[in-house]
Amino acid sequence: MKENDNILEEITQSEYKYGWTSNFEMDSAPKGLNEDIIRFISARKEEPEWLLEWRLKAFRHWLKMNEPKWPNVKYPKIDFQDIIYYAAPKQKVKPKSLDEVDPELLETFEKLGISLQEQQRLTGVAVDAVMDSIAVATTFKEKLGELGVIFSSFSEAVQVHPELVKKYLGSVVPMNDNYYAALNSAVFSDGSFCYIPKGVRCPMELSTYFRINAANTGQFERTLIVAEDNAYVSYLEGCTAPMRDENQLHAAVVEIYAADNAEVKYSTVQNWYPGDKSGKGGIYNFVTKRGLCAGHHSKISWTQVETGSAITWKYPSCILKGDHSIGEFYSVAVTNNYQQADTGTKMIHIGKNTKSRIVSKGISAGKSQNSYRGLVKVMKRAENSRNFSQCDSLLMSDTCGAHTFPYIEVSNKSAHVEHEATTSKIGEDQLFYCNQRGIDTETAVALIVNGYAKEVLSKLPMEFAVEAQKLLAITLEGSVG
Amino acid sequence: MLIIKNLKASIENNEILNGIDLEVNAGEVHAIMGPNGSGKSTLASVLAGREEFEVTDGTIVFEGKDLMEMEPEERAKEGIFMAFQYPVEIPGVSTTNFLKTALNQIREYRGLQPLDAVSFLTHLREKMKLVEMDQSLLSRALNEGFSGGEKKRNEIFQMAVLEPKLSILDETDSGLDIDALKIVANGVNQLRSKDKAVIVVTHYQRLLNFIIPDFVHVLYQGKIVKSGTRELALELEEKGYDWIKEEYKSTLV
């Protein structure tokens, strides 16, 4: 392996027109994207040949594809040759204590109620003593190992369980699924791999574990979750803490596979840097998330709280292939200032007696634009399938926009598809009522908004529901008044 | 406790209050009566600090402090409570959660520690009995799907929980049947004390059979045109408002 790497590096060094220099060789590739860069990434990660081929194939597809223009978002053209596609985690100078960390960041942590220990971890404070969290993580790992649950970084899974990765990678989101999925498939940096064997009910929220272990996974994150027959897992990705990143473009892919009677509950809280109040900066978050209910009576449930990013383009979807399978999508998407979100879901009913439920709560403030885009598709064979969709929009200002684009395609007469939608503006009357009871406007907004989003927030794992509530309040601070 | 002098207020340049003078002391119950459109509810709203009304003249002093300088929530924290004529629905927010937030913000303002869950619930239960509030209403979203009577009862319940110094009941009797009216009145009576005051805004004297006022004021064309005791209310019930209007007109000539 090592020798191969060296050869590859030599080749890439000699061919790449900007030239390799010894100082970047160790930690990052030069700007731009071509096959050599992909070879470099694969080599650096010591990947097997098949995975390199898979990446290259995705890249060749990507070259022939066009950026999607249909989302209801506006942004300047992205120069894909102006991006660095591989950078090893940097050894930043770690702050010695929280005293050296940006006080504004600490204030937000405080408001979110994040523990001191976790604050240290999130800000990368160097801790000498053995941290409790590491001990806890080790205990978790042992416990999971006993049950045969695999939970590791994607890179580690490629090395340790190549047969599983090979079997499921791209099985739900094909490498050429869409422009950003193809880009991710070609250059993905790292991510998570989760495998729950037959009959195992994962005894803990993987969120707990994840929060302790979450490492910097880069801008092209790849997640693969597989639940075998009769398996169950609840997984949480993301963090309520504000995430800053120098990379503007994030294009992640998440794939979930559920076999017979398997259930996967996937929750996410997204709080990437949204840009400043005038709309400068911020992350472009172009994500492909899809679950395949492959087996009968399987269930995949997406819950998302989206408050960050300058632009969000994200449709966690379910393919209900197995008979009696169930897909759910619960979403709260908040946009403020100049943020733009185009988010929703797709429920594809293929199997008989399949059910789906969509609850989307959009909240727009400032000059932001918030769109719900959803597809409910009932295929010919999907006898007695049912869908219920509820899409609500709450407006906090006169300058923001809320849009709903529901698509319904039904090819089977026995299907029941229901769609309800409401748009409301936060009421002066509601605010005054709260004020009159002694509640200040900021708290009143938080109270009203959390009440509005309750049905979705209640689906989150307990400890996150509380943080998510606070997050909504912080995101909307000063948006009314 | 409350001293209103020459209060004038308008909405969209229409003058609605036209020089109100009123003094309310601790321990007193004042009834503000008057025909429709006389400015009763406007007076209540101005005291609570509703923004759409512009105060163009006069002063309101509450417990020695200038009320006009205060935001609605500050007035509430200082101890002013208004029972709404049309209570607002807040979906997804339980009455319990709403009241806990309100009470703890008020306590914080007064330099008190927030109540913990147990003492708060004990406090709630005690007050629930006062207005015969059904426990199930507390966990439901605030006023959502409540009947008219339940909403009004919930207002008085909130008043009991927040323990204000001055309570303003804005047409709390409207839309209530006699049984509900008795329950509401009974709740208010139990909250009467020598250091608290109540202003009852009502069109009908009916409520005043159950909440006996110390003073009755008749509002007409934005002014208090007549003040008296409970007998005045009874007289109004008997004779209607027309004689008041006539009397007022004659003073203008």
Side-chain angles (χ1 to χ4, degrees):
Chain A
M1 275 306 271
K2 267 277 166 248
E3 250 173 290
N4 282 347
D5 282 0
N6 294 337
I7 293 162
L8 268 175
E9 271 175 37
E10 263 173 44
I11 293 165
T12 50
Q13 279 178 34
S14 58
E15 280 186 2
Y16 197 63
K17 61 175 176 177
Y18 299 107
W20 303 100
T21 60
S22 57
N23 53 3
F24 76 71
E25 182 183 28
M26 293 315 291
D27 51 7
S28 71
K31 275 183 184 174
L33 185 55
N34 55 42
E35 293 204 1
D36 291 337
I37 294 280
I38 292 167
R39 286 177 206 281
F40 174 77
I41 295 170
S42 193
R44 289 308 309 268
K45 297 169 93 61
E46 299 178 16
E47 288 176 354
E49 189 64 23
W50 64 266
L51 190 51
L52 171 63
E53 283 310 315
W54 195 81
R55 285 177 180 273
L56 289 170
K57 223 169 137 186
F59 175 68
R60 288 165 200 152
H61 278 295
W62 180 75
L63 286 175
K64 287 181 235 147
M65 297 168 92
N66 291 314
E67 239 179 294
K69 291 278 178 265
W70 47 263
N72 188 27
V73 296
K74 289 190 188 76
Y75 55 93
K77 196 160 169 51
I78 297 169
D79 181 357
F80 289 94
Q81 296 303 336
D82 194 36
I83 293 171
I84 293 171
Y85 288 88
Y86 182 85
K90 278 180 205 151
Q91 287 297 319
K92 279 188 211 154
V93 183
K94 289 182 174 174
K96 287 195 187 68
S97 75
L98 283 175
D99 297 338
E100 294 176 19
V101 175
D102 179 7
E104 200 182 318
L105 192 63
L106 293 180
E107 200 183 308
T108 313
F109 284 148
E110 205 62 48
K111 286 182 190 167
L112 286 167
I114 291 171
S115 75
L116 205 64
Q117 184 191 314
E118 203 164 343
Q119 289 184 25
Q120 290 177 331
R121 189 184 62 78
L122 290 165
T123 50
V125 169
V127 182
D128 297 329
V130 177
M131 249 164 69
D132 282 354
S133 64
I134 294 171
V136 173
T138 313
T139 319
F140 283 163
K141 197 148 194 170
E142 278 169 16
K143 216 163 143 191
L144 291 174
E146 278 166 30
L147 292 162
V149 172
I150 302 165
F151 187 53
S152 70
S153 76
F154 203 93
S155 305
E156 192 185 324
V158 167
Q159 302 302 331
V160 185
H161 306 282
E163 71 298 342
L164 285 175
V165 176
K166 194 174 178 182
K167 184 174 175 192
Y168 292 105
L169 179 69
S171 65
V172 184
V173 179
M175 63 169 72
N176 59 349
D177 186 79
N178 67 66
Y179 191 77
Y180 290 106
L183 178 64
N184 175 287
S185 302
V187 301
F188 67 85
S189 30
D190 208 340
S192 308
F193 177 76
C194 173
Y195 179 86
I196 317 292
K198 271 184 192 173
V200 172
R201 203 183 153 83
C202 191
M204 65 187 84
E205 302 267 1
L206 282 186
S207 58
T208 330
Y209 181 96
F210 196 79
R211 273 158 73 92
I212 291 162
N213 279 272
N216 187 3
T217 45
Q219 64 191 122
F220 300 102
E221 198 173 343
R222 184 105 201 172
T223 303
L224 178 56
I225 301 170
V226 178
E228 293 285 21
D229 294 353
N230 301 302
Y232 166 85
V233 65
S234 168
Y235 182 95
L236 190 132
E237 166 228 63
C239 194
T240 51
M243 299 287 275
R244 283 178 183 257
D245 194 307
E246 59 252 54
N247 300 311
Q248 193 170 33
L249 175 66
H250 278 244
V253 170
V254 176
E255 296 181 273
I256 300 177
Y257 180 94
D260 291 349
N261 291 305
E263 182 178 348
V264 178
K265 194 173 168 338
Y266 184 104
S267 315
T268 179
V269 176
Q270 185 264 118
N271 189 19
W272 291 105
Y273 181 54
D276 66 13
K277 284 202 166 72
S278 61
K280 236 175 113 185
I283 304 286
Y284 297 172
N285 195 25
F286 302 146
V287 189
T288 305
K289 293 190 174 184
R290 192 175 302 152
L292 174 62
C293 284
H296 63 80
H297 295 90
S298 56
K299 180 177 177 184
I300 293 176
S301 182
W302 299 99
T303 305
Q304 62 170 20
V305 175
E306 299 282 315
T307 59
S309 297
I311 301 175
T312 301
W313 179 96
K314 178 177 175 187
Y315 316 90
S317 305
C318 297
I319 299 172
L320 304 170
K321 192 174 161 214
D323 292 345
H324 301 276
S325 60
I326 298 172
E328 291 177 337
F329 174 74
Y330 297 97
S331 168
V332 177
V334 187
T335 52
N336 197 356
N337 300 316
Y338 286 89
Q339 279 177 280
Q340 307 175 67
D342 193 304
T343 182
T345 184
K346 290 185 216 168
M347 293 290 174
I348 316 290
H349 294 255
I350 300 173
K352 295 187 177 80
N353 301 302
T354 47
K355 276 191 225 159
S356 63
R357 183 177 174 84
I358 299 170
V359 178
S360 162
K361 303 271 183 179
I363 301 164
S364 341
K367 294 190 164 68
S368 66
Q369 296 294 329
N370 199 329
S371 303
Y372 167 81
R373 187 183 303 276
L375 169 68
V376 176
K377 188 168 183 166
V378 179
M379 310 287 267
K380 215 168 171 183
R381 207 180 68 82
E383 290 288 326
N384 296 315
S385 51
R386 279 163 197 277
N387 161 265
F388 173 77
S389 303
Q390 171 85 49
C391 302
D392 297 330
S393 307
L394 183 67
L395 302 170
M396 311 291 287
S397 74
D398 296 324
T399 46
C400 58
H403 316 271
T404 307
F405 304 98
Y407 304 88
I408 299 171
E409 294 170 21
V410 179
S411 315
N412 184 306
K413 281 183 186 163
S414 63
H416 287 259
V417 176
E418 281 177 73
H419 181 94
E420 285 178 15
T422 66
T423 302
S424 51
K425 186 157 188 285
I426 191 157
E428 291 292 322
D429 284 350
Q430 287 177 328
L431 290 174
F432 179 70
Y433 192 81
C434 294
N435 288 158
Q436 210 300 307
R437 297 300 184 252
I439 302 171
D440 61 61
T441 302
E442 215 137 85
T443 311
V445 168
L447 203 63
I448 295 166
V449 164
N450 278 306
Y452 164 80
K454 194 180 174 192
E455 195 181 348
V456 175
L457 296 176
S458 67
K459 301 287 173 188
L460 285 175
M462 191 55 165
E463 72 268 31
F464 273 93
V466 177
E467 278 182 27
Q469 281 183 20
K470 291 179 187 161
L471 179 60
L472 289 189
I474 292 171
T475 309
L476 291 167
E477 245 169 36
S479 60
V480 167
Chain B
M1 179 183 279
L2 179 75
I3 301 163
I4 304 175
K5 276 189 184 147
N6 191 34
L7 180 66
K8 291 184 182 173
S10 59
I11 184 164
E12 288 163 5
N13 292 326
N14 292 322
E15 192 151 85
I16 299 181
L17 298 182
N18 191 12
I20 303 257
D21 292 292
L22 180 66
E23 192 170 332
V24 177
N25 296 308
E28 295 174 352
V29 173
H30 289 244
I32 309 275
M33 300 186 70
N36 290 331
S38 58
K40 304 187 295 287
S41 285
T42 301
L43 177 60
S45 293
V46 167
L47 290 175
R50 214 184 244 282
E51 266 181 20
E52 55 256 50
F53 297 100
E54 194 195 343
V55 174
T56 51
D57 201 3
T59 56
I60 310 173
V61 176
F62 177 69
E63 297 274 73
K65 291 179 187 163
D66 182 1
L67 209 60
M68 308 308 300
E69 292 294 313
M70 291 181 213
E71 294 294 323
E73 61 269 29
E74 278 181 88
R75 298 179 193 205
K77 286 167 180 163
E78 285 289 338
I80 291 181
F81 179 93
M82 180 166 88
F84 283 60
Q85 186 177 0
Y86 304 107
V88 175
E89 297 182 2
I90 305 185
V93 179
S94 70
T95 304
T96 308
N97 186 16
F98 178 75
L99 280 175
K100 191 166 186 229
T101 308
L103 187 63
N104 283 336
Q105 285 217 338
I106 291 171
R107 289 179 65 90
E108 192 188 340
Y109 182 82
R110 295 178 186 166
L112 300 167
Q113 287 294 315
L115 283 186
D116 60 62
V118 175
S119 6
F120 177 71
L121 284 176
T122 315
H123 181 68
L124 274 196
R125 287 216 185 88
E126 191 186 302
K127 303 299 180 184
M128 261 160 50
K129 285 183 205 134
L130 276 180
V131 284
E132 300 172 35
M133 250 321 249
D134 195 283
Q135 176 114 34
S136 69
L137 290 182
L138 294 185
S139 48
R140 274 168 54 185
L142 186 66
N143 290 326
E144 201 182 34
F146 283 28
S147 71
E150 284 169 342
K151 282 184 184 173
K152 293 298 174 75
R153 217 187 289 179
N154 193 4
E155 293 293 291
I156 304 305
F157 170 63
Q158 291 182 36
M159 172 179 147
V161 171
L162 300 179
E163 302 178 317
K165 293 178 199 155
L166 173 67
S167 302
I168 304 158
L169 275 50
D170 187 11
E171 310 229 8
T172 298
D173 50 335
S174 69
L176 288 188
D177 63 30
I178 191 74
D179 293 328
L181 190 73
K182 277 183 188 167
I183 293 170
V184 163
N186 189 35
V188 175
N189 286 331
Q190 291 197 51
L191 296 170
R192 282 174 84 158
S193 77
K194 62 177 185 339
D195 51 2
K196 289 189 168 124
V198 183
I199 296 176
V200 183
V201 173
T202 179
H203 185 81
Y204 301 104
Q205 130 38 61
R206 194 176 63 150
L207 178 64
L208 306 180
N209 287 331
F210 303 104
I211 303 174
I212 313 286
D214 300 302
F215 301 97
V216 174
H217 311 278
V218 181
L219 206 60
Y220 181 60
Q221 294 195 344
K223 265 186 140 83
I224 290 176
V225 294
K226 204 168 185 68
S227 293
T229 56
R230 196 190 164 204
E231 278 64 40
L232 177 59
L234 293 169
E235 201 177 345
L236 285 169
E237 184 181 36
E238 200 181 311
K239 298 203 254 176
Y241 284 108
D242 285 347
W243 64 280
I244 298 268
K245 295 179 190 173
E246 291 302 320
E247 224 180 74
Y248 178 66
K249 274 179 202 155
S250 65
T251 63
L252 295 178
V253 177

